[in-house]
Amino acid sequence: MVCNPTVAVTVYNPATEEPIAKLPEAGVDEADAAVARARAAFPAWRAVAPADRARLLRRLATLVEEHAEELALLETRNVGKPIADSRGEVGMVADVFHFYSGAVDKHHGETIPVGGGIDLTFREPLGVVGLIVPWNFPLNIASWKLGPALACGNTVVLKPAELTPLTAVLLGELALEAGIPEGVINVVVGPGRVVGQRLAEHPAVAKIGFTGSTEVGRGVMQAAAGTIKRVTLELGGKSANVVFADADLERAAAAAPYAVFGNAGQDCCARSRILVERSAYDRFVSLLVDATAGVRVGDPEDDATEMGPLISAAQRESVSSFVDGNVVFRGEAPDGKGFWFPCTLVEASNEDRVAREEVFGPVAAVIPFEDEPDAIRIANDTPYGLSGSIWTENGARALRVARALETGVLSVNANTSVRVSTPFGGFKQSGFGRELGMQALEGYSEVKNVFVATD
Ligand code: NAD
């Protein structure tokens, strides 16, 4: 880790409001030093034989598995997410490194028939890449970027969010233990507007892989423009959960709360607009209220907990500002210390602020629609386009609507968005570029085309 020893970042447990760690805070000089170290490490790292690079990534995956409980507990204490969720996320981190270890020698160039010679393409690493990560899925999202970046032969500077740097620091240590050479992964803990901004502007950084809000992403894109950096942006969302009257309503209603209230709603994929066909509206809302009342809110370290607190007092204040209309349901939340907010369902129109802006808290807008074209119109009437779900027993309708929705990731009769081997990313102002799957490798490599004259 690179840091300025004179300034400290204090990290809190959002369930108790207690400080849990104090880390030295990096500034511009430390960001520059990290880039210099990554640059120095690049030639040797890109030259590591593919099978050896794969072996190192595999070793890192194994170390994540061996330290799974420690990583999960750290993530839970720092983010406030239920321990069962943290365990699942750490499991995914290991799977991500396993996947990209296997991808190292499967992402390659081709030969293209041309006249007068032979044409070859190579997949070249970019060099030093800056990875900027948000606080809601700190370790998971770091791994989605590190896996393909390292597999392609890049070296990295990883900047976790100021609120949640702990698992990134531990992951950096595990990478060294795995035998990944010094300088290949550099973790820099510091303010986004200082360290993140510097990485986005730095002439020696070839690409920024950014996940965060649309507003900050816009600034990163502008800062990166000065040096024509490659940019991948994974930004906010306001996704629709579209429930048709011909759906299995019990199943759809049982799943819907977990598509919004998971991670206390602090999820870019939250299906926070629940669109329900008018003819099934009353029945579905009644089932949804019952299901939401069953979400277990409480101590994140309890195995049975399904929803913990929000990340900070500021986040709670921001989330509260969205609840001023027709509340159909408001759940329970613990009293006392911790940034708690109850599961909340609000009846809304798609024009209301709660349906237009990303709440990033456990608040869902329930919106009726008349028929299939109306559902598509409302679902697409948003500047975002990240995820979404369609609930129907009609297979043709499922595919028709899936093709019509302007969004990067969709589920039919399910509410999951993310899988290690499948591409993830947004349409419209939810960003561009894809993470996960083989597609992520495209964003961490350049195609070089070489023609060899043979005539
Ligand atoms: P944020 O945009 O405030 O911060 C994200 C990261 O950017 C942090 O590390 C922050 O320090 C850094 N940053 C802040 N200012 C910067 C600047 N000027 N230059 C460079 N970096 C800077 O986001 P957040 O509040 O940490 O996370 C929540 C947001 O992230 C939500 O909008 C959510 O939808 C989005 N998100 C998107 C995805 C996705 O994959 N699409 C996943 C998770 C979260």
Side-chain angles (χ1 to χ4, degrees):
M1 196 177 89
V2 182
C3 55
N4 171 353
T6 58
V7 193
V9 180
T10 305
V11 179
Y12 294 87
N13 180 339
T16 62
E17 303 181 33
E18 297 295 329
I20 50 171
K22 212 170 214 172
L23 284 83
E25 179 179 299
V28 167
D29 291 349
E30 290 73 27
D32 286 355
V35 172
R37 281 154 53 89
R39 235 184 142 178
F42 176 61
W45 179 244
R46 76 171 296 182
V48 171
D52 293 333
R53 199 150 64 222
R55 202 169 290 120
L56 290 168
L57 285 175
R58 204 154 53 239
R59 176 85 186 112
L60 176 58
T62 305
L63 281 173
V64 168
E65 284 161 350
E66 287 170 10
H67 291 260
E69 199 52 27
E70 183 186 355
L71 285 162
L73 200 54
L74 203 54
E75 197 80 317
T76 282
R77 291 198 174 142
N78 195 174
V79 188
K81 62 176 74 209
I83 187 71
D85 292 358
S86 294
R87 289 187 182 120
E89 288 169 27
V90 171
M92 184 188 194
V93 170
D95 288 349
V96 166
F97 289 124
H98 278 303
F99 179 88
Y100 288 107
S101 120
V104 168
D105 54 4
K106 293 168 194 70
H107 179 65
H108 43 65
E110 53 192 353
T111 57
I112 301 170
V114 291
I118 298 170
D119 199 275
L120 309 162
T121 65
F122 296 86
R123 293 279 176 177
E124 304 287 12
L126 302 170
V128 177
V129 299
L131 308 180
I132 303 177
V133 173
W135 48 258
N136 58 342
F137 293 94
L139 191 61
N140 237 354
I141 292 177
S143 75
W144 301 358
K145 299 180 190 310
L146 279 168
L150 297 175
C152 288
N154 302 285
T155 55
V156 313
V157 178
L158 170 63
K159 197 210 86 61
E162 302 88 300
L163 291 169
T164 58
L166 300 183
T167 46
V169 172
L170 179 50
L171 186 66
E173 288 165 8
L174 294 179
L176 285 176
E177 195 181 327
I180 294 176
E182 288 262 1
V184 171
I185 301 175
N186 304 272
V187 183
V188 185
V189 177
R193 63 182 187 289
V194 179
V195 172
Q197 183 79 22
R198 177 62 182 152
L199 293 176
E201 289 170 353
H202 201 298
V205 173
K207 180 213 166 102
I208 295 288
F210 174 84
T211 300
S213 60
T214 296
E215 191 189 342
V216 174
R218 194 173 286 121
V220 166
M221 200 170 165
Q222 279 163 353
T227 48
I228 317 290
K229 270 184 192 48
R230 281 77 186 119
V231 185
T232 305
L233 297 177
E234 298 288 352
L235 307 177
K238 194 70 207 177
S239 300
N241 194 358
V242 183
V243 182
F244 287 98
D246 63 13
D248 178 338
L249 294 182
E250 278 77 13
R251 245 187 92 205
Y258 300 95
V260 194
F261 305 130
N263 216 40
Q266 304 163 121
D267 181 350
C268 53
C269 291
R271 278 93 164 137
S272 54
R273 292 183 300 145
I274 305 178
L275 275 48
V276 188
E277 191 162 5
R278 178 91 62 190
S279 57
Y281 188 80
D282 290 345
R283 170 147 173 71
F284 181 81
V285 171
S286 146
L287 291 166
L288 177 64
V289 165
D290 288 350
T292 305
V295 175
R296 291 189 291 265
V297 185
D299 178 5
E301 291 182 41
D302 183 333
D303 283 351
T305 294
E306 295 177 315
M307 191 177 101
L310 294 168
I311 188 73
S312 64
Q315 190 65 17
R316 183 169 56 188
E317 205 176 310
S318 158
V319 172
S320 306
S321 75
F322 284 91
V323 186
D324 58 359
N326 278 338
V327 173
V328 238
F329 176 79
R330 194 179 164 86
E332 305 277 320
D335 288 330
K337 290 274 188 191
F339 308 120
W340 303 97
F341 199 90
C343 295
T344 307
L345 298 169
V346 180
E347 255 174 336
S349 105
N350 202 48
E351 314 313 316
D352 295 337
R353 180 170 167 249
V354 70
R356 300 219 70 80
E357 294 178 24
E358 190 178 38
V359 178
F360 232 54
V363 179
V366 190
I367 304 169
F369 67 83
E370 303 304 329
D371 53 20
E372 190 179 305
D374 197 35
I376 293 167
R377 180 188 63 75
I378 297 173
N380 286 342
D381 180 15
T382 168
Y384 295 110
L386 187 56
S387 74
S389 290
I390 302 163
W391 294 83
T392 174
E393 293 294 292
N394 177 335
R397 161 176 277 169
L399 285 175
R400 201 164 53 231
V401 176
R403 293 300 306 273
L405 295 189
E406 297 159 352
T407 186
V409 186
L410 267 171
S411 322
V412 175
N413 297 333
N415 60 17
T416 48
S417 306
V418 172
R419 286 178 186 79
V420 174
S421 56
T422 63
F424 174 79
F427 279 26
K428 304 197 289 190
Q429 291 187 33
S430 289
F432 54 84
R434 290 294 177 267
E435 306 213 283
L436 298 172
M438 294 301 278
Q439 280 84 354
L441 299 160
E442 309 286 330
Y444 288 96
S445 57
E446 294 274 23
V447 176
K448 182 184 285 170
N449 181 20
V450 178
F451 172 74
V452 182
T454 53
D455 287 356

